[in-house]
Amino acid sequence: MECGLVFITPRMSAADYSEFYATGDYRETVSKYLPPKAPLEKCQANYAKSLCKVTQDTFGRWSGSSVLDIGGSTGVVAAALRDEFGIIPTVLDLATSELESASVKGIEAICGSVDTFDPGKRRWDIITILQSIDHFLDPRMALSKAREWMNPGGLLIVDIINFSARIIKDRFVESGCKIDHPYGLTPSTMQAYLDQCGFATIASGMAVDENTCKVLFTCRRDLPRPGTTPDKKHVIK
């Protein structure tokens, strides 16, 4: 395998995944195959607290800016960024029950998926894809849409679970595989996606929660480089 992209097979179709998320019980289904963990919003709050720390220098300069949080779930993270940095968030997600929680927090909540959402001429200063990119059936399409929806001079902030680090840490491949994660990404593969889709990485590195092996990328718009491939020394064989 030359690309380094890990994927589950068989995968559900886009329509099946949309129904899976829209029903509102997909987290309960997935949790049956995972170790017990804290309630969803508590986990998200812990993530948001750490995220605010590692993005202080980034978001601290963007007070008053508009942010589209793709896959923003209950709005816990968006609300934390709003309260900490004074940004104006919008959450896009398919899970209607979780969007209701976002609305209660005073956040604009839009029910939709990255592949079907049409914002018209509306654009945002910052696009965030947090704890979400590995849920998408087409990461390249999602990144291309994010680039299209950004204002000139805007930012993309996206994180991944480093698949290779996760399986090394846990010592078995299954720890990196979930039915709601069609793909497993590594930093090298993600960087290739960003290059191909027209993003220049300003900063990247371990972030937010080292136990889950997350890597955060902060990017600006650049010219697409469609021929970019991952560094082969990082490709999982």
Side-chain angles (χ1 to χ4, degrees), residues 52-74:
C52 287
K53 289 181 180 178
V54 300
T55 57
Q56 180 73 46
D57 291 342
T58 300
F59 280 109
R61 299 191 296 269
W62 289 81
S63 178
S65 299
S66 58
V67 177
L68 176 65
D69 188 12
I70 298 175
S73 182
T74 63

Side-chain angles (χ1 to χ4, degrees), residues 15-148:
D16 288 336
Y17 270 117
S18 293
E19 181 179 355
F20 182 57
Y21 291 126
T23 57
D25 60 0
Y26 82 93
R27 292 193 187 274
E28 180 181 352
T29 301
V30 171
S31 69
K32 294 177 181 178
Y33 304 95
L34 297 172
K37 55 194 294 188
L40 173 62
E41 292 207 24
K42 184 175 181 179
C43 290
Q44 292 175 339
N46 291 335
Y47 171 91
K49 183 177 180 179
S50 298
L51 179 70
C52 287
K53 289 181 180 178
V54 300
T55 57
Q56 180 73 46
D57 291 342
T58 300
F59 280 109
R61 299 191 296 269
W62 289 81
S63 178
S65 299
S66 58
V67 177
L68 176 65
D69 188 12
I70 298 175
S73 182
T74 63
V76 167
V77 175
L81 294 174
R82 176 196 62 195
D83 297 344
E84 182 74 17
F85 303 113
I87 56 93
I88 304 168
T90 298
V91 166
L92 175 69
D93 203 287
L94 272 170
T96 53
S97 60
E98 295 180 11
L99 287 175
E100 290 172 3
S101 296
S103 295
V104 168
K105 298 176 181 67
I107 295 171
E108 179 186 14
I110 300 174
C111 184
S113 64
V114 68
D115 53 336
T116 60
F117 176 53
D118 180 6
K121 295 182 179 180
R122 187 177 180 184
R123 297 295 181 266
W124 287 266
D125 300 317
I126 301 173
I127 305 289
T128 57
I129 307 176
L130 302 168
Q131 306 190 100
S132 296
I133 191 71
D134 38 23
H135 287 264
F136 300 148
L137 269 175
D138 190 343
R140 183 182 289 107
M141 177 275 297
L143 291 170
S144 297
K145 289 289 186 71
R147 186 177 186 275
E148 177 186 338

Side-chain angles (χ1 to χ4, degrees), residues 133-224:
I133 191 71
D134 38 23
H135 287 264
F136 300 148
L137 269 175
D138 190 343
R140 183 182 289 107
M141 177 275 297
L143 291 170
S144 297
K145 289 289 186 71
R147 186 177 186 275
E148 177 186 338
W149 299 339
M150 287 170 55
N151 281 323
L155 293 179
L156 168 73
I157 300 176
V158 55
D159 68 356
I160 66 167
I161 297 174
N162 183 350
F163 184 88
S164 57
R166 181 65 179 271
I167 64 174
I168 290 171
K169 172 182 173 292
D170 294 341
R171 298 184 179 180
F172 61 101
V173 172
E174 289 79 3
S175 70
C177 302
K178 293 174 60 182
I179 190 174
D180 55 337
H181 289 190
Y183 297 103
L185 297 162
T186 65
S188 185
T189 304
M190 186 62 193
Q191 186 60 62
Y193 266 130
L194 292 166
D195 291 342
Q196 291 171 13
C197 295
F199 289 103
T201 300
I202 300 171
S204 67
M206 295 302 297
V208 188
D209 183 359
E210 293 189 5
N211 289 326
T212 56
C213 303
K214 285 190 173 68
V215 180
L216 190 75
F217 295 81
T218 302
C219 312
R220 59 174 174 79
R221 194 185 315 203
D222 200 1
L223 293 176

